[in-house]
Amino acid sequence: MDKANPIGPAETKALREMPAESKGFFNKQRKNDTGLNTRPPSGEKSFFQKLLQQKALVFMSIPFLLWLFIFKYLPLWGWTIAFQDFKPAKKIFDQEWVGLKHFTFLFQDEHFLRVMRNTLAMSFINLVLGFVTAIVLAILLNELRNLMFKRVVQTISYLPHFISWVVAASIISTALSSDGGIINELLLWLGLIKEPILWLGEGEYFWGILGVSEVWKNVGWNTIIYLAAMTMIDPSQYEAAEIDGAGRFQRIWNITLPGLKPVFIILLIMNIGNLLESGFEPQYLLGNGMNVDYSENLDIFVLKYGIQMGNFSLSIAAGMFKTVVSFILLFTANHIAKRLGEERLF
Amino acid sequence: MNKKFWMSCLTVVMMVSLLAACGGKDNQTADNTPAAGGEGEKKEEKVTFTYFNAAAGKDKNTNETTIGKIFEDQTGVNFKMEHLVGDENTKVGTFIASNDYPDVIVPGNSIDKLVGAGAFIPLNDLIDKYGPNIKRVYEPYYNLMKAEDGNIYFLPLSAVVGEYTSAPNIEQGAFWIQRRVLKEAGYPKIKTFDEYLGLIRDYVKKHPEEGLTGYLALTTQDKFFALTNAPMHLAGYPNDGGIIIDMETHVANDYADDDITKRYLQELNKLNTEGLFDKSSFVDNYDQYLAKLTSGKVLGFFDYRWQVGQSMNNLRETANASGNDDLEYMALPIVYDENIKDQYLDPPSFVNNRGVGISVSAKDPERIVKYFNNLLTDENQVLSNWGIKDETYSVDENGRFYRTEEQITQTNTEAFRESFGFKYFEYNWPRYGNGSTLPDGNSVGAGRQPEVAKMSYSEPDKKLLEAYDIDSFSQLFAAPDDRPWYPAWSIPIDQGSPAQIFTQKKSDLQRKYFPKLVLANPAEFDRIWNEYVGEFSKLDVKGYEDLITEEVAKKIANAQGQ
Amino acid sequence: MAKTSDSPRAHARFKSPADRIFDTLNIVFMICLMVVTLYPFLNTLAVSFNNATDSVKGGIYLWPRDFTWENYKYVFNEATIFQATFISVLRTVIGTITSVFCCAMVAYTISRPEYVLRKFVSIAFILTMYFSGGLIPNFLLIRELGMLGTFSVYIIPGLIGVFNVIVIRSFIEGLPEGILESARIDGAGEFTTFMRIVLPLCVPVLATVSLFTAVSQWNSWFDVFLYNSSYTELSTLQYELMKILQNSNSSMNSGNDYASQFASSESGANQVTPTSIRATMTIVASVPIILVYPFLQKYFVQGMTLGGVKG
């Protein structure tokens, strides 16, 4: 978030410096978005007329809307399970209806608030760290002059993405170990600490450890999309800037960053909708009794009381809760983006 | 433009339908295999049924194994075995939701769901008609096997036949100690926890420069019970699963807040203060734990043998190479006080919430029952467990079964166990339970035959046994008392029920407090303990204990045939 | 062609001392980054080539201590692996092509500002990112559609990734409006515009999205588990590897289930351990897909031709 603000004014500056024709796509959105809202007074009829006019587009959408309905919306009948004590053997109407029992179980658990705090904190840390590191790395990669070197770095930096969390967590535990783990050895060697720290035994460190681990594992992978976005920046802008005598930092600030902005905003909005999904594998694998106050998140709670107990109803209830929160966050974020005149999701 | 668009649309549609069609074909061929078998009624005709095991394993046809081929020759039945890969509840949930089951199912903890869903057919009549051997093996346990409606829905895997033999080696829990500690102390016979810790303390004191760890505990994720079970064993009870059943009153007691737990944690706390306890015990993962045991720096720990197998194997290899067994471990039956009788060895245990069932989808249950029946002859049990005479086992002049060194090596190889079929038939079928004995006195399971155990002892093992004046490692342990309810952990607890939620909450609480207690400043110990007990008593302990007490009473009554 | 045009600023640039310092620091940083990100892979590789029993000791870092092929032999021992690899490749190739094409089509329609259903379609798709009906309803749906035990479950249920649609859309919206306009003036219909103009211009983003899709296709095993687990001929590499891993796990015993403890307590020693098998399968499963990236990399610079089109 912090990062988003300074880009704002910079972007307008960049726009001013841009060749006229490419300004189009930044503004276009704002102008055209009202297509649906500003119906002529004739209303309905005009809508269908338009529909008829655009039948090519409509035909291109219909098969996929059908697909969407069948594979995504139809299974939503499953949400009824959240209000039952679901037994797979029974028909849907023979199930025992229990009202909000599973929701109450979830919300009234004494740890619910702590679980929510952990979920949001870890998500937020991952969100901020994830965006900042990916964008910075993408820019630094883009500044490399040697093409071969750039490609090698890129390929290697995304390798950890392919290591499963089980393997990654084991490497992390080893690195953090209090007997001979590299982190402790390094800090001892630098004289920053006097005796090894039990990193995973101190709850307060957990969010940080997790955030850094996520970055380590995914930063290379996350840059891919920004690198692709950079290819869309018109090289003539750089040339023009160079002629104007803009330094490297100015070029990054005024051309590269604004070029990444549309993708950044879109990803940000989507990820804000996902704030309750902080993952469960790393938390499960690195979590232990000593850091449980900081490591237990919603997904782990559901894993313990829903999935591992075969309680489908609780899992679905938790899923519904997440969906509701996601929608609220999503629409809010989208609305804010709209207000700020930024790119938006819909 | 429209033409092109339509053409492309058509292409997409065709591609999609083509894919579906391709798949459809696959579907048919695959479906045919079991169906073709099910329909043919001629006894001689070969049939293939489907078999699902909710444990991991390599999928195979039984007739692709040596043992399975023999069974197919005898019965004409082959099973296409499928094993579980992901989450059991999910898989079984899909079976139930679609009411479409494999012919034979060996579930894990989802068994109550399957029974509740009516997935299994009642076997009573089929056994009476086609299963004389099944009846012979299981009849003594009928009362424990019957569901509330009086039907038998699955055949458990642990019906002991003949005399009960304990395992010659320690397969379950024990306090382990490094052999060099015993050696240096002159192989003392020790019994109490104090003596055990005393040995460790002395050794560390005498070897201060070696960077030794006195005691290590395993606490990671689903292995936390290795920490919480220790007090139960120290108090002289077998592994009933986190609960103690009184021998006289048969009342269940959750000892999580009892003195025996407090005492164990307090001892660990003392060790920690003295610097003998490895603090990392509470953060290490399983691999790190095993690595520490393998490093040779750890003098003692409590755990179950099957959890530390990898380390033991490694230490054994090193010892074999060097001829020095100093770093290997020996299992000791440690209890709190002199007058407590240790109960580490499992009593005969009838696990009545696991077993093999025939599903309602099976088209020809009769032949499956006959196949099961055929498995339960003495000869076929020998085949499933020992294999083929002079190939995988030998018989001495007294008729005792044994295995030569080569045979032991061969039958321990994973690949061989799979191709021969031991891996499949040793356990997950109707069988003579662990500890069963043949009429000629041989153990049904090769692992429990003293001759086999002896063959696998190394020279240092033999010396150690000699020093303690015993023939096998389990002789140091007391014989198990009879506990008709054993194991209490097989008492079915409904998934998602209050009792199950209680056990989860209890475990959450212990995970949080036990590290605090062990690592606390000794002066703080009592305060934290009281805090923990306060939290614990908020949970519905009583409800859980009552449920177990009630079920134990039922089990005892059933076992006594009332 | 890529080599010369890739870095537009590389040519004829005045290098200030600050530039040099920046470049040096940047290179140093990149080298550090490579060390940190290459390590897990090298470590896994080392473990996969190390004797399993020896690995229990820990302390394997960059090089195997007790070299062996046993872990790989164990993994490749199963004949099914090769058939499964074929299916994996097939689903990755077909799944990626169909999915990316369909995503691009949806993205194109909702990028058209004048399209009346634009908002409706966008929201209908986007919302699905945040909910799911749950496992059982999905399973029953697939079953009702007769797709159990078919190859199509690998392609059709995941045909459209909404995330990918959105990413492609934002790129299409970034295309200079003039290009699409001129196509329309030439009389091209929507579909032709999409095929002839939009798709070629979107190569960089399509390459990105293809990578995302290919990786998730290659790695997925849950759909095999749920829908096709009893159809061995449709099994995939990841699923077979999962099986091998869990198999080695159970022979070593995970101990979650008390009853299974009895099962293996009587069986003997093993030559492999879950840890070494996991390392081996990580290598076996990830090397093929990792190799895809360098090939896709060259498409990331094709957007440069954009300038040409514009001029």
Side-chain angles (χ1 to χ4, degrees):
Chain A
M1 292 274 198
D2 291 328
K3 210 65 193 173
N5 284 333
I7 302 176
E11 190 230 350
T12 20
K13 206 167 123 209
L15 272 175
R16 260 185 273 123
E17 289 159 10
M18 251 191 250
E21 72 222 305
S22 58
K23 250 182 216 173
F25 74 81
F26 284 102
N27 297 327
K28 176 197 65 196
Q29 271 273 274
R30 262 154 258 170
K31 260 186 281 157
N32 293 322
D33 222 342
T34 43
L36 200 65
N37 303 334
T38 53
R39 279 182 213 139
S42 42
E44 291 297 289
K45 198 179 154 209
S46 161
F47 172 77
F48 284 115
Q49 272 174 349
K50 271 190 179 173
L51 208 61
L52 212 63
Q53 219 173 28
Q54 299 171 345
K55 59 179 181 297
L57 282 173
V58 175
F59 280 126
M60 281 167 85
S61 305
I62 279 180
F64 301 113
L65 281 174
L66 212 64
W67 173 90
L68 192 70
F69 176 74
I70 293 174
F71 286 97
K72 298 288 174 181
Y73 285 91
L74 212 54
L76 280 186
W77 67 262
W79 277 9
T80 52
I81 289 173
F83 305 99
Q84 307 163 338
D85 264 345
F86 181 69
K87 301 261 185 302
K90 292 187 194 161
K91 289 247 155 44
I92 183 87
F93 296 107
D94 302 339
Q95 300 285 353
E96 190 190 334
W97 294 86
V98 294
L100 296 175
K101 174 179 147 187
H102 299 290
F103 292 92
T104 330
F105 179 84
L106 183 66
F107 297 138
Q108 289 197 338
D109 190 273
E110 51 185 330
H111 299 315
F112 180 73
L113 284 179
R114 201 183 69 202
V115 164
M116 285 304 290
R117 178 201 67 178
N118 295 343
T119 309
L120 290 171
M122 284 187 269
S123 282
F124 187 74
I125 291 173
N126 290 344
L127 186 79
V128 173
L129 273 184
F131 273 109
V132 172
T133 55
I135 291 175
V136 168
L137 180 61
I139 288 171
L140 291 180
L141 276 169
N142 198 43
E143 293 299 318
L144 286 176
R145 291 163 200 261
N146 184 322
L147 185 61
M148 202 52 218
F149 183 65
K150 177 181 165 185
R151 288 194 173 181
V152 170
V153 178
Q154 230 176 299
T155 309
I156 287 178
S157 70
Y158 92 150
L159 285 182
H161 180 77
F162 292 90
I163 305 278
S164 68
W165 265 116
V166 181
V167 176
S170 160
I171 290 172
I172 294 165
S173 301
T174 314
L176 294 174
S177 154
S178 60
D179 16 43
I182 179 111
I183 305 287
N184 277 317
E185 294 295 306
L186 202 66
L187 292 175
L188 283 171
W189 184 72
L190 291 172
L192 291 176
I193 52 173
K194 291 214 173 55
E195 56 180 74
I197 295 176
L198 209 57
W199 289 100
L200 289 170
E202 309 278 345
E204 306 91 76
Y205 297 146
F206 191 81
W207 298 344
I209 291 171
L210 194 84
V212 173
S213 308
E214 291 268 4
V215 166
W216 166 66
K217 200 164 176 299
N218 290 322
V219 66
W221 182 253
N222 291 341
T223 55
I224 292 175
I225 198 161
Y226 296 108
L227 290 170
M230 283 178 192
T231 65
M232 300 292 275
I233 299 172
D234 185 352
S236 61
Q237 288 184 48
Y238 289 111
E239 282 152 24
E242 210 154 345
I243 292 164
D244 290 351
R248 194 180 216 160
F249 184 70
Q250 280 170 305
R251 286 196 302 269
I252 293 174
W253 192 256
N254 293 329
I255 303 174
T256 315
L257 275 179
L260 298 182
K261 203 172 89 167
V263 173
F264 166 74
I265 302 273
I266 293 288
L267 291 184
L268 185 67
I269 297 174
M270 282 200 273
N271 281 323
I272 285 176
N274 268 334
L275 269 183
L276 286 193
E277 306 277 353
S278 55
F280 75 90
E281 274 185 287
Q283 286 88 346
Y284 178 76
L285 293 163
L286 295 173
N288 59 52
M290 295 176 80
N291 60 29
V292 67
D293 284 346
Y294 295 86
S295 62
E296 190 181 42
N297 66 3
L298 194 57
D299 286 348
I300 295 208
F301 185 85
V302 174
L303 181 78
K304 279 199 298 199
Y305 290 96
I307 297 164
Q308 282 178 355
M309 291 190 185
N311 186 346
F312 291 107
S313 300
L314 181 68
S315 315
I316 303 245
M320 285 173 71
F321 167 64
K322 280 203 244 175
T323 300
V324 170
V325 175
S326 293
F327 280 3
I328 295 171
L329 290 171
L330 181 72
F331 281 96
T332 314
N334 197 58
H335 184 72
I336 292 174
K338 194 170 172 181
R339 272 296 187 76
L340 294 176
E342 297 293 350
E343 192 85 6
R344 56 198 207 257
L345 207 46
F346 44 81
Chain B
M1 111 206 182
N2 266 341
K3 212 186 257 170
K4 269 190 192 150
F5 168 68
W6 282 113
M7 285 298 283
S8 303
C9 264
L10 206 68
T11 328
V12 171
V13 170
M14 272 170 59
M15 242 163 86
V16 169
S17 50
L18 199 74
L19 287 173
C22 276
K25 240 182 266 161
D26 285 337
N27 185 14
Q28 272 175 358
T29 44
D31 252 350
N32 274 342
T33 340
E39 295 305 325
E41 281 306 328
K42 274 263 164 78
K43 287 287 138 70
E44 297 73 24
E45 210 172 302
K46 284 193 177 173
V47 291
T48 296
F49 296 111
T50 50
Y51 164 102
F52 177 82
N53 185 353
K58 272 187 191 160
D59 294 349
K60 247 191 185 154
N61 279 297
T62 51
N63 64 10
E64 289 167 336
T65 65
T66 312
I67 299 174
K69 185 81 192 79
I70 296 173
F71 291 151
E72 192 193 33
D73 292 343
Q74 292 169 353
T75 60
V77 176
N78 170 45
F79 283 91
K80 183 172 180 258
M81 292 187 284
E82 185 191 334
H83 293 81
L84 180 74
V85 173
D87 172 57
E88 180 183 348
N89 277 318
T90 309
K91 192 76 208 172
V92 166
T94 63
F95 287 157
I96 296 175
S98 60
N99 199 28
D100 195 3
Y101 302 92
D103 299 327
V104 171
I105 310 176
V106 191
N109 57 16
S110 67
I111 197 160
D112 57 323
K113 279 213 169 90
L114 284 163
V115 173
F120 291 135
I121 56 165
L123 300 173
N124 314 37
D125 293 345
L126 286 165
I127 294 174
D128 286 342
K129 269 192 218 151
Y130 308 106
N133 293 327
I134 302 179
K135 195 163 185 171
R136 170 175 57 82
V137 172
Y138 286 98
E139 202 166 24
Y141 301 96
Y142 267 10
N143 285 323
L144 286 168
M145 289 161 62
K146 279 182 183 156
E148 270 167 29
D149 60 7
N151 285 325
I152 292 168
Y153 289 105
F154 56 88
L155 300 175
L157 308 170
S158 49
V160 175
V161 175
E163 194 98 355
Y164 179 74
T165 335
S166 278
N169 291 325
I170 300 307
E171 300 168 341
Q172 294 293 322
F175 276 84
W176 300 81
I177 194 160
Q178 229 171 30
R179 292 186 185 180
R180 58 175 165 173
V181 180
L182 295 175
K183 188 157 98 186
E184 195 164 287
Y187 300 111
K189 279 208 169 179
I190 60 165
K191 186 162 187 204
T192 68
F193 197 37
D194 289 340
E195 289 168 343
Y196 173 82
L197 295 178
L199 280 181
I200 290 175
R201 285 193 171 100
D202 287 349
Y203 194 88
V204 177
K205 215 173 281 166
K206 272 190 230 156
H207 303 264
E209 73 293 343
E210 288 177 34
L212 297 172
T213 299
Y215 194 82
L216 186 69
L218 174 64
T219 66
T220 191
Q221 283 140 24
D222 54 359
K223 301 183 190 304
F224 191 73
F225 63 90
L227 180 68
T228 56
N229 276 3
M232 170 174 70
H233 290 293
L234 284 170
Y237 291 90
N239 183 4
D240 259 329
I243 199 145
I244 286 174
I245 313 290
D246 189 277
M247 284 300 275
E248 302 298 321
T249 60
H250 300 156
V251 169
N253 171 31
D254 191 319
Y255 59 87
D257 56 343
D258 288 0
D259 276 346
I260 57 171
T261 301
K262 187 179 178 186
R263 184 166 165 192
Y264 182 61
L265 295 172
Q266 201 147 23
E267 292 292 350
L268 296 190
N269 179 285
K270 270 185 222 156
L271 285 175
N272 182 53
T273 322
E274 296 162 39
L276 296 178
F277 179 82
D278 187 346
K279 287 185 174 60
S280 307
S281 291
F282 292 111
V283 299
D284 280 350
N285 61 30
Y286 189 41
D287 283 348
Q288 287 170 312
Y289 169 77
L290 292 178
K292 281 182 179 166
L293 293 186
T294 316
S295 73
K297 299 263 185 214
V298 177
L299 299 185
F301 65 96
F302 170 85
D303 207 343
Y304 295 87
R305 171 64 175 77
W306 42 265
Q307 295 214 95
V308 294
Q310 298 180 38
S311 295
M312 298 296 193
N313 290 345
N314 181 302
L315 291 170
R316 170 52 55 102
E317 268 183 22
T318 318
N320 283 348
S322 65
N324 180 344
D325 68 335
D326 274 1
L327 301 183
E328 285 199 76
Y329 292 91
M330 180 164 170
L332 298 174
I334 301 297
V335 286
Y336 275 135
D337 297 305
E338 203 60 53
N339 56 359
I340 295 175
K341 180 161 106 183
D342 76 82
Q343 287 291 292
Y344 283 90
L345 299 183
D346 282 322
S349 30
F350 189 74
V351 181
N352 63 348
N353 68 343
R354 292 292 183 276
V356 191
I358 301 175
S359 81
V360 287
S361 303
K363 295 201 181 68
D364 195 354
E366 192 185 306
R367 284 197 79 177
I368 300 176
V369 168
K370 283 181 183 164
Y371 185 88
F372 286 174
N373 187 58
N374 181 57
L375 289 176
L376 293 172
T377 63
D378 289 352
E379 298 74 45
N380 282 342
Q381 283 299 302
V382 169
L383 179 63
S384 297
N385 287 284
W386 288 90
I388 297 169
K389 191 178 162 186
D390 296 331
E391 277 182 38
T392 52
Y393 75 100
S394 307
V395 184
D396 71 7
E397 63 275 16
N398 300 323
R400 296 291 295 171
F401 296 175
Y402 69 97
R403 274 179 176 156
T404 62
E405 215 159 299
E406 301 84 74
Q407 285 165 348
I408 287 179
T409 322
Q410 189 187 27
T411 51
N412 273 347
T413 325
E414 190 68 8
F416 181 80
R417 286 170 41 73
E418 268 162 15
S419 69
F420 197 85
F422 285 132
K423 176 138 192 201
Y424 303 101
F425 285 100
E426 241 174 28
Y427 192 70
N428 290 299
W429 293 88
R431 63 190 278 265
Y432 292 4
N434 287 351
S436 296
T437 312
L438 294 167
D440 61 11
N442 283 304
S443 161
V444 172
R448 295 211 179 192
Q449 184 87 332
E451 282 87 345
V452 173
K454 229 169 250 170
M455 273 311 289
S456 58
Y457 289 150
S458 64
E459 282 311 311
D461 281 345
K462 287 176 191 157
K463 273 187 203 141
L464 191 63
L465 290 169
E466 209 171 293
Y468 280 94
D469 196 21
I470 46 178
D471 290 331
S472 68
F473 286 104
S474 65
Q475 277 184 11
L476 223 47
F477 291 66
D481 291 333
D482 199 29
R483 293 165 201 261
W485 64 84
Y486 188 84
W489 50 255
S490 78
I491 286 169
I493 292 178
D494 283 343
Q495 294 206 335
S497 66
Q500 204 191 25
I501 290 171
F502 163 78
T503 52
Q504 179 66 53
K505 296 225 156 175
K506 172 175 93 172
S507 152
D508 283 354
L509 204 59
Q510 292 179 327
R511 268 166 215 266
K512 188 171 156 180
Y513 275 97
F514 283 15
K516 279 190 193 170
L517 284 161
V518 174
L519 304 182
N521 180 333
E524 292 277 285
F525 185 90
D526 277 315
R527 187 187 58 78
I528 303 176
W529 173 260
N530 291 337
E531 193 181 313
Y532 159 73
V533 171
E535 290 282 325
F536 181 77
S537 53
K538 281 187 207 155
L539 304 177
D540 185 17
V541 197
K542 185 83 170 52
Y544 178 70
E545 287 174 343
D546 288 350
L547 175 83
I548 301 290
T549 307
E550 201 179 303
E551 292 294 324
V552 164
K554 258 191 230 166
K555 251 184 134 170
I556 296 170
N558 280 334
Q560 290 162 351
Q562 289 153 5
Chain C
M1 53 125 213
K3 264 182 192 145
T4 49
S5 63
D6 179 52
S7 184
R9 291 143 293 149
H11 53 85
R13 187 189 290 167
F14 162 71
K15 277 193 186 176
S16 69
D19 258 355
R20 278 171 208 279
I21 293 171
F22 178 86
D23 280 336
T24 316
L25 286 179
N26 200 6
I27 288 172
V28 171
F29 170 76
M30 290 299 167
I31 289 171
C32 294
L33 180 79
M34 282 200 288
V35 169
V36 175
T37 50
L38 193 56
Y39 174 74
F41 208 76
L42 289 181
N43 178 251
T44 310
L45 202 62
V47 173
S48 77
F49 278 112
N50 196 61
N51 177 302
T53 315
D54 182 68
S55 297
V56 177
K57 245 184 240 167
I60 308 278
Y61 299 108
L62 295 172
W63 208 247
R65 187 164 47 207
D66 183 356
F67 184 88
T68 179
W69 286 101
E70 279 309 315
N71 301 319
Y72 285 90
K73 278 192 197 148
Y74 183 85
V75 167
F76 286 109
N77 181 31
E78 275 310 283
T80 50
I81 276 276
F82 299 100
Q83 152 92 6
T85 310
F86 173 71
I87 296 287
S88 278
V89 171
L90 204 64
R91 73 174 284 182
T92 306
V93 171
I94 298 179
T96 307
I97 293 173
T98 51
S99 168
V100 170
F101 180 79
C102 295
C103 286
M105 190 127 99
V106 175
Y108 175 72
T109 60
I110 60 173
S111 76
R112 305 309 311 135
E114 72 277 8
Y115 185 30
V116 283
L117 296 180
R118 197 177 74 91
K119 199 150 189 170
F120 167 72
V121 177
S122 306
I123 293 183
F125 271 96
I126 288 167
L127 291 188
T128 64
M129 278 198 288
Y130 302 98
F131 64 71
S132 148
L135 270 172
I136 300 285
N138 275 318
F139 174 80
L140 290 177
L141 175 72
I142 298 294
R143 184 169 169 271
E144 289 309 309
L145 293 173
M147 285 163 71
L148 284 190
T150 70
F151 184 76
S152 57
V153 290
Y154 300 146
I155 311 295
I156 295 173
L159 188 65
I160 294 172
V162 181
F163 177 84
N164 295 342
V165 171
I166 301 299
V167 169
I168 300 175
R169 185 195 70 176
S170 85
F171 273 76
I172 298 179
E173 284 174 348
L175 292 174
E177 184 66 14
I179 293 176
L180 301 187
E181 285 306 322
S182 60
R184 210 142 316 159
I185 290 163
D186 290 348
E190 294 291 356
F191 193 69
T192 319
T193 315
F194 169 66
M195 291 295 283
R196 292 276 172 79
I197 314 286
V198 176
L199 282 188
L201 285 178
C202 282
V203 165
V205 72
L206 294 184
T208 313
V209 167
S210 300
L211 182 67
F212 293 162
T213 315
V215 168
S216 80
Q217 276 282 1
W218 179 263
N219 282 343
S220 66
W221 62 273
F222 198 71
D223 46 9
V224 191
F225 160 69
L226 213 52
Y227 307 127
N228 284 352
S229 68
S230 25
Y231 302 87
T232 16
E233 65 281 2
L234 287 172
S235 188
T236 64
L237 179 63
Q238 290 286 356
Y239 189 72
E240 289 302 308
L241 291 175
M242 277 309 266
K243 233 190 248 178
I244 294 171
L245 173 67
Q246 296 202 356
N247 191 15
S248 74
N249 239 330
S250 81
S251 354
M252 269 309 166
N253 220 317
S254 57
N256 207 357
D257 177 352
Y258 289 103
S260 66
Q261 292 162 15
F262 282 108
S264 69
S265 58
E266 294 205 350
S267 68
N270 269 57
Q271 295 88 351
V272 295
T273 62
T275 309
S276 58
I277 289 303
R278 188 177 288 115
T280 312
M281 71 179 255
T282 304
I283 300 297
V284 171
S286 61
V287 165
I289 193 76
I290 286 171
L291 292 180
V292 169
Y293 186 52
F295 289 102
L296 281 176
Q297 257 177 336
K298 71 169 182 226
Y299 294 106
F300 287 140
V301 296
Q302 273 206 348
M304 289 308 129
T305 55
L306 202 65
V309 174
K310 231 189 285 180

